[in-house]
Amino acid sequence: MIQVENLQHTFLIGKKGKEKHVPVLKGVNFEVKKGEIVAIVGKSGSGKSTLLQILAGFMKSEQGSIKVNGMETAHLTEAESAAFRLQQFGFIFQNFQLMPGLTAFENIELPLKLQGIRKAMRTEKVKKLMDKVGLTDVADHYPNELSGGQQQRVSIARALITNPPILLADEPTGSLDSETEQDILLLIQSLNRELGLTFVIITHDEEVATIAHRRFRMYDGELVKEEA
Amino acid sequence: MLFKDQLDFVTQHIKKNKLRVFMTVLAATMGCAFLIVLASVGFGLQDSIRNEILSDEKVTKIQVHGNDQFTEEQINEIKNIEHVETILETITVNASAHSFFEDRDTDSELYVANMHNFEQVNGKLEKGKYPTKPNEIIVGYHFAQSLVNDAERKIIEEKNKKAEAEGTFYNGSEEGYKDSLIGKEIELALMPRIDGAKETKKTKYTIVGVMKKPSYDWMINNSIYMDTEQKPMLATTLAATDVKEDDMFYSEFNIFADSMENVKPILDKLKDKGYSVFSVTEQLDQMNVFFLVLKIGLIFVGTIAVLIASIGIFNTMTMAVTERTREIGVLKAIGASPKLIQRLFLMESTFIGIIGTLIAVAISYVISFVANATLPLILEAATGEDAFSKNDIIFSLIPWQLVLIASAISIGVAMISGYRPARKATKIDVIQALRQEL
């Protein structure tokens, strides 16, 4: 499903004229198979977030190749990359990244709007999914009226609404207490089992990594496979 | 994204920042209204002057320069040009006509013309009919007023002195013959305009018609008009004096088109044929060029106001983009194309421009209406002259073309000033945006 080969990236740090080249990714290789939960674990500054951002197309790598469903994505233009994201990826962010001016329902509906789907069809899809993730009661609530766990559920529902084959999660439980964390991890596991969705989870939390089928550890720009 | 959803998105954001958007719309409205009202003065003045010119002269008239005398052949040639209605030869008798009626008398100009053509050109009379029999004449509107006796002359002189002392003048409208002159007989003697000439013997004529009032208030017409059949008899009368035969009459030719639109082609054809002709429509053309330049100047000045308003739009949009950095980041992350994001922001600035323009157009019409209704009264009160309210001066006129130009300018400027912020929105870095705190 995802093949990453020899991915390299360097940051320029410091004042103009006195910049220092700091390598963040030093030739990363890994593969994610369909229906897998893969965790990339690492301390902050290890380069795991950079890896996710390049994977998602938010930034470009200097060298290397990324193939998603057989398609090379490393050289897509910004517009192509956006269209690709809309079809292939769903995103779950650490701090949920919900639109504060939209209700839970409208937040989940947003990707469908971007896809140009008509209102009647959107409403039906969103209602079904909200029911599934247990959000029906809070459909008309704004993000600031929801608990952290509810917000992350909305965020997951938003990621799922377009039926993407791959979900990219950046510290999905980073802002939640341990009880809610368990809820969200169970939800991810059940989605993986029932819908066969592929998850790539970036985390520093070893607990989160336990739900993964395979684990990679990021250390100083290099990725090492760990046994599950 | 469906267009309706894009609209929803934009209106949702506008609703969230009602006051800021309202103030920006207000600035756009003021700029655009200023532009329209300013330029409307140019349009209004042009219209007033155009009406003035058109009411003064018969617009279908093509005048012939100088004292060119047309031959029969030339007259036929001109008559054969398409849309030429008639050629009117007006002969001025080179003598002052001295008319006597009861104890009154007056001096006036005497014209001879083919009464059939004359009627075609001048249309209806104020009173009476055009001459059909020998010795029948028609007179100008003020002829009766100019017929005064010695007593009235003195009164007029006194009134005139009084008026002069006040810095005005008196036109004698309160004196003269008050009853209808139709059917009345007058005696007419001719006084050649040469030194030492004597008045001819008197001939009797019957007044059968009175011409319409001249289009200008200050114009006095007390002339006498008779048919060309009278020309030989006038020549005989004048021959008794020392006037040379060549100096007795001067002809002036005027060509009349059947409608105003056809004046230009006829004029062009006549000029091609070597005739020296002109018409008020040419005067209009020159005036139109002048006003075109004036209007462009006024629109230019008005556009500066619109540009100032555009700074407000630029600020509002830049603020909107900065405030929504995180939202834009999320939109981009979940797959909104840069083009869509640019379009959403451009729509917002265009919306401000359109609403501002619509309100401005409505306000401008109100201002224009109020100005036209009250300015004449104010000027009349300030200057003490009633000319402003009488002459139907249009101070402000907003034709649809002006609305179109002003709308294009202000909506265009709104879009341009929203362009940079919209571009900035597309350039927002997703990672940076997502890191922003709520």
Side-chain angles (χ1 to χ4, degrees), chain B residues 120-155:
Chain B
Q120 224 174 353
V121 170
N122 287 294
K124 272 192 175 173
L125 293 171
E126 180 75 25
K127 272 185 277 183
K129 60 179 181 66
Y130 283 95
T132 48
K133 293 179 199 143
N135 280 28
E136 281 187 345
I137 56 167
I138 54 173
V139 293
Y141 182 83
H142 299 99
F143 186 78
Q145 177 194 315
S146 69
L147 274 176
V148 285
N149 53 30
D150 289 341
E152 283 177 331
R153 272 202 185 90
K154 271 184 191 157
I155 298 170

Side-chain angles (χ1 to χ4, degrees), chain A residues 1-5 7 25 28 30-32 38 40 47-61 65-68 71 73-74 76 81 84-85 88-89 91 166-169 199-202 223:
Chain A
M1 186 124 240
I2 302 175
Q3 282 122 21
V4 176
E5 282 172 26
L7 202 63
L25 299 178
V28 170
F30 75 101
E31 195 183 350
V32 180
V38 168
I40 295 172
K48 59 183 192 313
S49 284
T50 309
L51 177 62
L52 182 85
Q53 281 154 8
I54 291 175
L55 208 57
F58 297 161
M59 62 160 83
K60 291 214 179 315
S61 67
S65 130
I66 303 165
K67 275 187 185 152
V68 178
M71 190 175 165
T73 63
L76 294 178
S81 180
F84 189 77
R85 274 202 294 278
Q88 298 289 331
F89 293 135
F91 288 95
I166 304 161
L167 279 111
L168 301 179
F199 280 86
V200 177
I201 302 170
I202 305 276
L223 201 63

Side-chain angles (χ1 to χ4, degrees), chain B residues 129-406:
Chain B
K129 60 179 181 66
Y130 283 95
T132 48
K133 293 179 199 143
N135 280 28
E136 281 187 345
I137 56 167
I138 54 173
V139 293
Y141 182 83
H142 299 99
F143 186 78
Q145 177 194 315
S146 69
L147 274 176
V148 285
N149 53 30
D150 289 341
E152 283 177 331
R153 272 202 185 90
K154 271 184 191 157
I155 298 170
I156 291 172
E157 208 171 305
E158 272 169 28
K159 284 188 178 175
N160 228 337
K161 269 186 189 163
K162 220 178 182 181
E164 261 174 43
E166 287 170 9
T168 56
F169 97 108
Y170 175 65
N171 62 7
S173 58
E174 285 164 20
E175 285 72 31
Y177 188 70
K178 298 292 180 206
D179 291 335
S180 170
L181 279 171
I182 304 289
K184 300 273 162 56
E185 212 169 54
I186 60 162
E187 284 184 311
L188 191 71
L190 296 176
M191 178 69 183
R193 293 192 174 107
I194 43 174
D195 288 341
K198 280 183 188 163
E199 223 167 64
T200 62
K201 64 179 173 55
K202 293 175 185 169
T203 315
K204 283 186 178 170
Y205 288 96
T206 310
I207 298 172
V208 291
V210 176
M211 290 188 64
K212 276 211 151 83
K213 200 175 177 181
S215 49
Y216 281 117
D217 280 350
W218 46 264
M219 263 185 171
I220 301 274
N221 180 12
N222 70 337
S223 307
I224 298 168
Y225 305 84
M226 51 180 76
D227 193 69
T228 31
E229 280 180 14
Q230 307 290 321
K231 197 180 160 189
M233 210 185 76
L234 289 169
T236 319
T237 313
L238 282 170
T241 65
D242 295 336
V243 183
K244 284 181 205 146
E245 207 180 324
D246 283 352
D247 291 338
M248 285 177 186
F249 303 103
Y250 296 117
S251 283
E252 186 198 331
F253 287 88
N254 285 309
I255 301 154
F256 289 86
D258 56 5
S259 74
M260 188 182 159
E261 294 76 49
N262 294 324
V263 170
K264 189 99 176 64
I266 295 172
L267 211 57
D268 291 342
K269 273 186 198 153
L270 286 171
K271 280 181 179 169
D272 283 346
K273 288 186 171 152
Y275 293 106
S276 165
V277 287
F278 76 100
S279 125
V280 280
T281 56
E282 285 180 302
Q283 205 180 331
L284 277 182
D285 285 346
Q286 286 170 8
M287 188 196 79
N288 285 344
V289 172
F290 168 76
F291 272 100
L292 182 67
V293 174
L294 178 74
K295 285 185 287 189
I296 290 174
L298 290 175
I299 288 174
F300 179 76
V301 174
T303 303
I304 293 174
V306 175
L307 286 176
I308 294 170
S310 80
I311 298 172
I313 298 178
F314 180 86
N315 276 338
T316 299
M317 293 315 297
T318 308
M319 283 283 281
V321 171
T322 312
E323 273 178 5
R324 282 180 236 159
T325 299
R326 201 181 62 81
E327 288 184 45
I328 295 164
V330 175
L331 273 178
K332 281 180 98 173
I334 61 176
S337 71
K339 259 191 185 161
L340 173 69
I341 289 167
Q342 181 177 334
R343 191 158 60 237
L344 290 174
F345 282 93
L346 271 183
M347 276 170 78
E348 194 167 328
S349 61
T350 309
F351 176 85
I352 291 173
I354 290 174
I355 295 292
T357 304
L358 286 179
I359 301 173
V361 169
I363 289 178
S364 303
Y365 272 107
V366 173
I367 293 177
S368 174
F369 177 78
V370 172
N372 285 332
T374 57
L375 268 181
L377 301 177
I378 295 169
L379 285 174
E380 192 184 327
T383 61
E385 285 191 31
D386 57 358
F388 294 106
S389 47
K390 257 190 181 172
N391 282 3
D392 279 341
I393 294 175
I394 302 165
F395 288 94
S396 163
L397 178 74
I398 307 175
W400 63 268
Q401 292 95 330
L402 175 58
V403 173
L404 214 65
I405 293 168

